[in-house]
Amino acid sequence: MISFTTPDRRRFMALAASTGLTSLLAPRLVQAQVSPVTPPLPPLAEASRQAWIFTVPLAENALARARILKDNPANTLIHKRTLSDWQDRFITTPNNDTLYSVAWLDLSAGPVKLHIPPTGDRYISAALIDMYTNNFAILGTRTTGNDGGSFTIIGPEQSTHSLTDIRSPTRWVCLLIRTLVNGTQDLPAAHDIQDRIILQAPTVAKPPVFSTSRNASWQDYFAAAQDLLNETPAFATDEAVVKKIAPLGLTANSRFNPGSFSAAQAAEIRLGLDRAKSELANRSTLGAAHNGWFWPKPDLGNFGQDYLYRAQVAVGGLLALPNDEALYLVAALTPEQQTCPAGKHLLLHFAAGQLPPVNAFWSLSLYEATPDHQYFFTRNPINRYTIGDRTPGLIKNPDGSLDIIISRQKPSTAQQTANWLPAPLHAPFGLFLRTYLPQPALLNRTWNVPPLQLVDNS
């Protein structure tokens, strides 16, 4: 086990803190319009379009793996030991609720054993994510309970004599563990949990260095994609799309040959890539806005054959959890709400007994937006970055309801100040609601987040 040191911090945060859909569903994106109907592509262009969309998750995961393994061996657990605050500027939309532990597992040399200690009433989850970014197993509070346990993870080609072994569909697996922290005073206890997580695994060699961006030339990208497909073959349930991309020469155990295409064919391939990237940028396909909040699609985190959504999440919210583990909602702020001028504040009013229905925890986070549309916690006079079910000192109304106040200036009353989530003095901002272990009322949307109201200061 490794506690990450300063040189590791950027790479760890780049992988861990971006998990989830918060950056993908940022306010500027939920206002995107539906793209116009586009004409069919020529056959080779269509193969290029589908191949890029299908393989982007492999490429994004391979880049994330390379960042972690640059200075850390595979099959080794490393820990983040601090909660994020306004000084964390390494990755957009960090979370202020959990500590992360991460390992990239190579199962080719044999089974890996994971021991999770008892955590009492503390939420913990250990997500096992294949190279195609599907959560094929989640261990912890929701599924295996809080009494801990030992688990054996095996690769796709390994034999097993136990029905309780967890089989990965791919050789490489990202293990991402989230451990809930109830404020800075709770960090020592959370560290103790991390220290008692044990990973037993064989020593393995590092994979070849992967550094090819999804925006590389088509020659370089598809050559790299072919290598990744050789390392991680497509599943049997993906056979239909594998046949569709075969005209590119992307077949099992082969080598991509860009020189085999004529100039006209190369133009078709580029046309297909352009169409794929345009589809990826169309956020109208990501989910639905309701009551002023944006909801993800039901197959988040375990995508099946929803290849476009899988690619969109890989690019904008890599390693997102499925909705039944954590449902992420993003406020679709109107221009007037975004301005939130002096003399006014945003009010999020939860009626009595109508707080987010969860079995773990919920939190509302506020981030300031940078000119290039990244989101970070904002420096503020009370060092508060979230309000949630663990926030001390909140004051409810006499009828049991709860008002959360979002404003750029400190409120004038004691109760409003107690329930204040500070916004930056001048910068635009975003609001993100995280709900962990959402109850059925959230999952089936019989409970909805109340709409945000822009009201005058009292």
Side-chain angles (χ1 to χ4, degrees):
M1 294 181 292
I2 299 173
S3 297
F4 76 83
T5 56
T6 300
D8 296 317
R9 185 179 181 88
R10 184 181 301 272
R11 282 180 292 278
F12 190 98
M13 292 295 291
L15 171 65
S18 64
T19 57
L21 275 182
T22 48
S23 59
L24 182 62
L25 303 183
R28 72 183 177 99
L29 301 179
V30 299
Q31 299 167 5
Q33 300 299 310
V34 177
S35 295
V37 176
T38 52
L41 292 169
L44 192 59
E46 177 62 17
S48 171
R49 182 190 73 85
Q50 295 207 33
W52 189 84
I53 289 172
F54 183 76
T55 58
V56 156
L58 283 175
E60 294 298 306
N61 242 350
L63 285 171
R65 180 180 68 186
R67 287 193 291 266
I68 290 294
L69 299 187
K70 184 177 186 296
D71 296 313
N72 301 287
N75 291 349
T76 301
L77 198 61
I78 60 174
H79 301 296
K80 185 179 186 295
R81 294 291 202 173
T82 58
L83 291 172
S84 298
D85 60 19
W86 68 272
Q87 299 177 83
D88 285 296
R89 297 270 163 160
F90 301 108
I91 192 65
T92 187
T93 59
N95 117 14
N96 187 246
D97 300 300
T98 68
L99 298 181
Y100 287 98
S101 305
V102 65
W104 275 95
L105 309 180
D106 181 356
L107 301 174
S108 63
V112 169
K113 294 186 177 181
L114 173 67
H115 174 76
I116 300 174
T119 60
D121 59 0
R122 184 187 303 274
Y123 170 85
I124 192 170
S125 65
L128 294 164
I129 304 147
D130 68 30
M131 280 298 290
Y132 287 95
T133 70
N134 295 298
N135 290 259
F136 65 88
I138 298 177
L139 310 170
T141 301
R142 178 176 65 90
T143 59
T144 59
N146 280 11
D147 292 334
S150 296
F151 308 91
T152 300
I153 306 152
I154 63 174
E157 298 178 354
Q158 293 168 2
S159 60
T160 180
H161 301 288
S162 173
L163 295 177
T164 61
D165 286 352
I166 302 168
R167 183 179 297 279
S168 169
T170 61
R171 164 191 166 184
W172 282 95
V173 174
C174 181
L175 167 64
L176 186 58
I177 302 174
R178 297 164 172 89
T179 303
L180 181 62
V181 179
N182 295 312
T184 54
Q185 75 285 349
D186 187 42
L187 280 171
H191 292 164
D192 178 64
I193 296 293
Q194 287 184 311
D195 291 340
R196 290 188 288 121
I197 299 171
I198 299 172
L199 187 67
Q200 295 176 306
T203 301
V204 294
K206 285 188 177 182
V209 175
F210 186 87
S211 59
T212 304
S213 163
R214 64 182 180 275
N215 293 317
S217 69
W218 67 268
Q219 297 95 329
D220 290 342
Y221 178 81
F222 284 130
Q226 179 66 73
D227 291 340
L228 291 174
L229 286 169
N230 290 340
E231 177 190 81
T232 306
F235 305 144
T237 49
D238 298 322
E239 185 62 26
V241 75
V242 168
K243 291 178 180 178
K244 291 176 182 177
I245 69 178
L248 279 177
L250 296 178
T251 57
N253 300 315
S254 65
R255 186 176 182 85
F256 182 69
N257 181 14
S260 65
F261 299 99
S262 68
Q265 290 174 321
E268 276 196 32
I269 293 172
R270 288 193 293 270
L271 177 64
L273 285 183
D274 290 343
R275 177 72 67 83
K277 292 174 184 179
S278 175
E279 292 180 10
L280 194 80
N282 179 14
R283 265 52 185 182
S284 67
T285 61
L286 284 167
H290 180 69
N291 221 31
W293 294 84
F294 198 84
W295 296 67
K297 292 176 68 174
D299 56 354
L300 173 64
N302 202 356
F303 302 96
Q305 282 65 56
D306 196 348
Y307 303 123
L308 177 60
Y309 188 44
R310 186 178 73 178
Q312 289 173 314
V313 174
V315 170
L318 185 66
L319 308 182
L321 288 166
N323 291 335
D324 53 2
E325 189 72 29
L327 189 66
Y328 306 97
L329 303 169
V330 182
L333 298 174
T334 67
E336 186 181 15
Q337 289 174 333
Q338 179 62 246
T339 301
C340 196
K344 292 182 178 290
H345 64 263
L346 286 173
L347 171 66
L348 183 59
H349 174 79
F350 291 105
Q354 290 298 307
L355 292 173
V358 295
N359 291 325
F361 67 94
W362 65 270
S363 67
L364 179 71
S365 299
L366 186 146
Y367 303 93
E368 64 178 82
T370 67
D372 57 348
H373 304 290
Q374 291 191 306
Y375 290 81
F376 302 106
F377 289 130
T378 187
R379 188 176 188 177
N380 65 82
I382 60 173
N383 294 320
R384 176 179 282 175
Y385 312 104
T386 64
I387 284 181
D389 57 351
R390 293 152 295 122
T391 303
L394 297 181
I395 300 176
K396 291 187 176 181
N397 299 316
D399 65 354
S401 62
L402 176 67
D403 291 336
I404 297 178
I405 308 299
I406 300 105
S407 64
R408 299 184 187 275
Q409 292 82 30
K410 182 179 178 180
S412 57
T413 71
Q415 177 169 340
Q416 288 183 337
T417 300
N419 298 356
W420 179 36
L421 189 55
L425 289 178
H426 304 292
F429 60 90
L431 290 166
F432 305 79
L433 182 65
R434 291 177 169 92
T435 63
Y436 274 70
L437 304 193
Q439 294 176 4
L442 246 175
L443 292 170
N444 62 28
R445 301 190 194 179
T446 56
W447 181 94
N448 282 292
V449 191
L452 287 158
Q453 307 168 55
L454 185 63
V455 299
D456 294 329
N457 295 339
S458 56

